[in-house]
Amino acid sequence: MMIIGVDYHPSFQTIAFLMEETGECGEQELKHSEGQADKFYRDLKQRGICVRVGMEATGYSRWFERLLAELGFELWIGDPAEIKAKRVKKQKTDRNDARLLRRLMLENNFPQIWVPSPENRDLRQLLWHRHRLVQMRTRIMNQLQALAMNEGYRWKKKLFREQGRAQLEKLTLAPWASRRRRELLELLDRMNPTIEELTAAVEREARKRPEVLRLMTHPGVGPLTALAFVLIIGTWERFPRGKQVGTYVGMIPSEDSSAGKQRLGHISKQGNSLLRFLLVEAAQAAARVHPGWRRRYMHLAMRRHKSIAKVAMGRRLAIRLYWMWRNGCEYSPSLEFGSYAGQLGTGHGGR
């Protein structure tokens, strides 16, 4: 078998390889745009060589992963933070990084991570596409609000109802402001049907998955949040405890403690930013409709700050959804924030 450590970049990759049977080793740089990488791996396949490739988790590598899957080569993807911690010398070069990956695989010390399936990744694109379009629509709506406020009108949400829009279109504006209003309204009219179509697609995908429907029974959790949670977490078996889900999503404070002094900073933000955003939004929705969540949110907001309370409730929601998924049960309003929450066999969602 050939062991290959790959230091991957969007335009090229540096590899360090070793043939286990013969001990032959070497290093090489392969450019992507010139087809060098594609030719190199296809030649190995034609020669009948078994290959195991190790690389850090990175973006812009989908085509490379598809190529290795097509050729039947084994691919290990490692945690970049753990790989960096295993680097001894403070001399970071592409060749050194490739050698490090090769050595970790040979020593069975490679920090391999879970990789989602192609279907999972494609569905995530649906969530991201809708999310970005909603953000763009919000910017357009804010600009229209600014135009109205500059003319002395503060209609808020009424601006985008039939009567408010008619009043906005009747405003007498200067030529360039008038053109800006017209083009922003045209963009808004084009985006609304697209977002509605994507929202319907999310709801259809959510209805196909029993675990997503189960999570949607929790107050404040809709199809978008539930589907994103299931896709990004992947499987609950990856996490022995609910607390690890909060860490994975990046909703725990960073820490720099020493000599008996605890120093906590901002949240780590090491997880998926979309899921983190959706959890915080869903937790606020739960606080609006559920007395228990609202009481806990107000208590945290008075003790600390509203922004801290929002993130804390989002983290609680993530752990609650994990236990609902793990226990295979729907939301139970009778058990809230108890010390017993999250235990197996209790028949409730957990804390």
Side-chain angles (χ1 to χ4, degrees), residues 128-138 191 194-195 198:
W128 271 113
H129 186 41
R130 183 194 176 278
H131 179 64
R132 294 305 187 195
L133 288 181
V134 170
Q135 288 182 323
M136 292 168 62
R137 182 177 64 178
T138 301
M191 295 186 69
T194 303
I195 293 175
L198 295 175

Coordinates of all heavy atoms in Angstrom, one line a residue, residues 128-138 191 194-195 198:
W128 N -27.8 26.5 3.3 CA -26.9 27.7 3.1 C -27.5 28.6 2.1 O -27.5 29.9 2.3 CB -25.5 27.3 2.8 CG -24.6 27.0 3.9 CD1 -24.1 25.8 4.3 CD2 -24.2 28.0 4.9 NE1 -23.4 26.0 5.5 CE2 -23.4 27.3 5.8 CE3 -24.4 29.3 5.1 CZ2 -22.8 27.9 6.9 CZ3 -23.7 30.0 6.1 CH2 -23.0 29.2 7.1
H129 N -28.0 28.1 1.0 CA -28.5 29.0 -0.1 C -29.7 29.8 0.4 O -29.8 31.0 0.2 CB -28.9 28.1 -1.3 CG -29.3 28.9 -2.5 ND1 -28.6 30.0 -2.9 CD2 -30.3 28.7 -3.4 CE1 -29.2 30.5 -4.0 NE2 -30.3 29.7 -4.3
R130 N -30.6 29.1 1.1 CA -31.7 29.8 1.6 C -31.3 30.9 2.6 O -31.8 32.0 2.6 CB -32.7 28.9 2.2 CG -34.0 29.5 2.7 CD -34.8 28.6 3.7 NE -35.9 29.4 4.2 CZ -35.9 30.2 5.2 NH1 -34.7 30.4 5.9 NH2 -36.9 30.8 5.7
H131 N -30.4 30.5 3.5 CA -29.9 31.4 4.5 C -29.3 32.7 3.9 O -29.6 33.8 4.4 CB -28.9 30.7 5.4 CG -28.3 31.5 6.5 ND1 -29.1 32.0 7.6 CD2 -27.1 31.9 6.7 CE1 -28.3 32.7 8.4 NE2 -27.1 32.7 7.9
R132 N -28.4 32.5 2.9 CA -27.8 33.7 2.3 C -28.8 34.5 1.6 O -28.7 35.8 1.6 CB -26.7 33.2 1.3 CG -25.5 32.5 2.0 CD -24.9 33.4 3.1 NE -23.7 32.8 3.6 CZ -23.1 33.2 4.7 NH1 -23.6 34.1 5.5 NH2 -22.0 32.6 5.1
L133 N -29.8 33.9 0.9 CA -30.8 34.7 0.2 C -31.6 35.5 1.2 O -32.0 36.7 1.0 CB -31.7 33.8 -0.6 CG -31.1 33.3 -1.9 CD1 -32.1 32.4 -2.6 CD2 -30.5 34.4 -2.8
V134 N -32.0 34.9 2.4 CA -32.7 35.6 3.4 C -31.9 36.8 3.9 O -32.4 37.9 4.2 CB -33.1 34.7 4.5 CG1 -33.7 35.5 5.7 CG2 -34.1 33.7 4.0
Q135 N -30.6 36.6 4.1 CA -29.7 37.7 4.5 C -29.7 38.8 3.5 O -29.8 40.0 3.8 CB -28.3 37.2 4.7 CG -28.1 36.4 6.0 CD -26.7 35.9 6.2 OE1 -26.0 35.6 5.2 NE2 -26.3 35.9 7.4
M136 N -29.6 38.5 2.2 CA -29.7 39.5 1.1 C -31.0 40.2 1.1 O -31.1 41.5 1.0 CB -29.4 38.8 -0.2 CG -28.0 38.3 -0.4 SD -27.8 37.2 -1.8 CE -28.2 38.4 -3.1
R137 N -32.1 39.5 1.3 CA -33.4 40.1 1.4 C -33.5 41.1 2.6 O -34.1 42.2 2.4 CB -34.5 39.1 1.5 CG -35.9 39.7 1.4 CD -37.0 38.6 1.5 NE -37.0 37.8 2.7 CZ -37.8 36.8 3.0 NH1 -38.7 36.5 2.1 NH2 -37.7 36.1 4.1
T138 N -33.0 40.7 3.7 CA -33.0 41.6 4.8 C -32.2 42.9 4.6 O -32.7 44.0 5.0 CB -32.4 40.9 6.1 OG1 -33.1 39.7 6.3 CG2 -32.4 41.8 7.3
M191 N -36.8 38.0 -5.3 CA -36.2 37.1 -4.3 C -37.3 36.4 -3.5 O -37.1 35.2 -3.0 CB -35.3 37.9 -3.3 CG -34.1 38.4 -4.0 SD -33.0 39.2 -2.8 CE -32.4 37.8 -1.9
T194 N -38.3 32.9 -4.8 CA -37.2 32.0 -4.7 C -37.1 31.5 -3.3 O -36.9 30.3 -3.0 CB -35.9 32.6 -5.2 OG1 -36.1 33.1 -6.5 CG2 -34.8 31.6 -5.1
I195 N -37.2 32.4 -2.3 CA -37.0 32.0 -0.9 C -38.2 31.1 -0.5 O -38.0 30.1 0.2 CB -37.0 33.3 0.0 CG1 -35.6 34.0 -0.3 CG2 -37.1 32.9 1.5 CD1 -35.5 35.3 0.4
L198 N -37.5 27.6 -1.8 CA -36.5 26.9 -1.0 C -37.0 26.5 0.4 O -36.7 25.5 0.9 CB -35.2 27.8 -0.8 CG -34.5 28.2 -2.1 CD1 -33.4 29.2 -1.8 CD2 -33.9 26.9 -2.8

